[in-house]
Amino acid sequence: MKGARIGTTLLIGLASTAVCWVLLDTWTGQGHAAPPLPWTAVFGTVALVLVVIAAGLPMRRWQRTAPADRSGVRRPIDPLVAARTAVLAKAAAYGGALILGWYLSQGLVLLPDLLGDRLTRFVIALVAAVAAAALSVAGFVVQRWCRVPPDDDEKPDS
């Protein structure tokens, strides 16, 4: 499996921001109320960051201190667990970029008139965007933890 790429992640974030901003600006420009933006959005995103990191910690521990048996060979980690963790990390990297665009677009729509309740919504949108960026970064970190070093007897492709 190929890991998430930074360029693709940035493209997802930019495209999400642009599309969501156009849609939200059109929606609110027609007199409709903006979608709700509660603090639970921030807490939920932070919870996802913690879940992704918690899922990756066993992989990190295995890479750093994998116990060896009596013959000196490292015990293998369950391949299904490793694959699921890698897929979760990739999804977190791309999903974090996607929701980062959503929260940034909400902030951009609120930016021209920051008074009263709109200022509070703007602050929530920015904090949620930071949490979404943290989710994407956590995905890249855990993805790196899932990389397995090549075996000594394997020859690199030339």
Side-chain angles (χ1 to χ4, degrees):
M1 179 184 100
K2 294 195 182 232
R5 299 186 186 275
I6 292 176
T8 305
T9 305
L10 291 174
L11 184 63
I12 288 171
L14 287 173
S16 173
T17 302
V19 169
C20 292
W21 177 74
V22 167
L23 293 174
L24 282 171
D25 193 47
T26 303
W27 180 259
T28 57
Q30 293 176 350
H32 299 286
L37 187 58
W39 280 105
T40 54
V42 175
F43 300 138
T45 307
V46 169
L48 284 175
V49 171
L50 296 175
V51 166
V52 170
I53 290 173
L57 283 176
M59 291 299 300
R60 182 171 185 241
R61 267 188 238 111
W62 178 80
Q63 279 194 352
R64 288 189 169 196
T65 60
D69 61 14
R70 292 181 187 179
S71 64
V73 177
R74 287 170 59 156
R75 283 191 308 201
I77 194 161
D78 183 7
L80 188 57
V81 170
R84 286 179 178 167
T85 304
V87 169
L88 174 67
K90 187 174 183 177
Y94 288 157
L98 189 69
I99 61 174
L100 171 65
W102 169 247
Y103 293 134
L104 283 179
S105 66
Q106 289 199 22
L108 288 173
V109 168
L110 296 168
L111 194 59
D113 186 27
L114 293 177
L115 297 173
D117 186 43
R118 290 177 64 94
L119 179 61
T120 303
R121 287 178 51 84
F122 181 75
V123 169
I124 295 172
L126 287 183
V127 174
V130 169
L135 177 61
S136 191
V137 169
F140 277 105
V141 168
V142 171
Q143 180 177 276
R144 180 169 292 279
W145 292 347
C146 290
R147 289 195 181 138
V148 177
D151 292 333
D152 292 337
D153 58 346
E154 287 183 18
K155 295 179 183 176
D157 293 335
S158 300

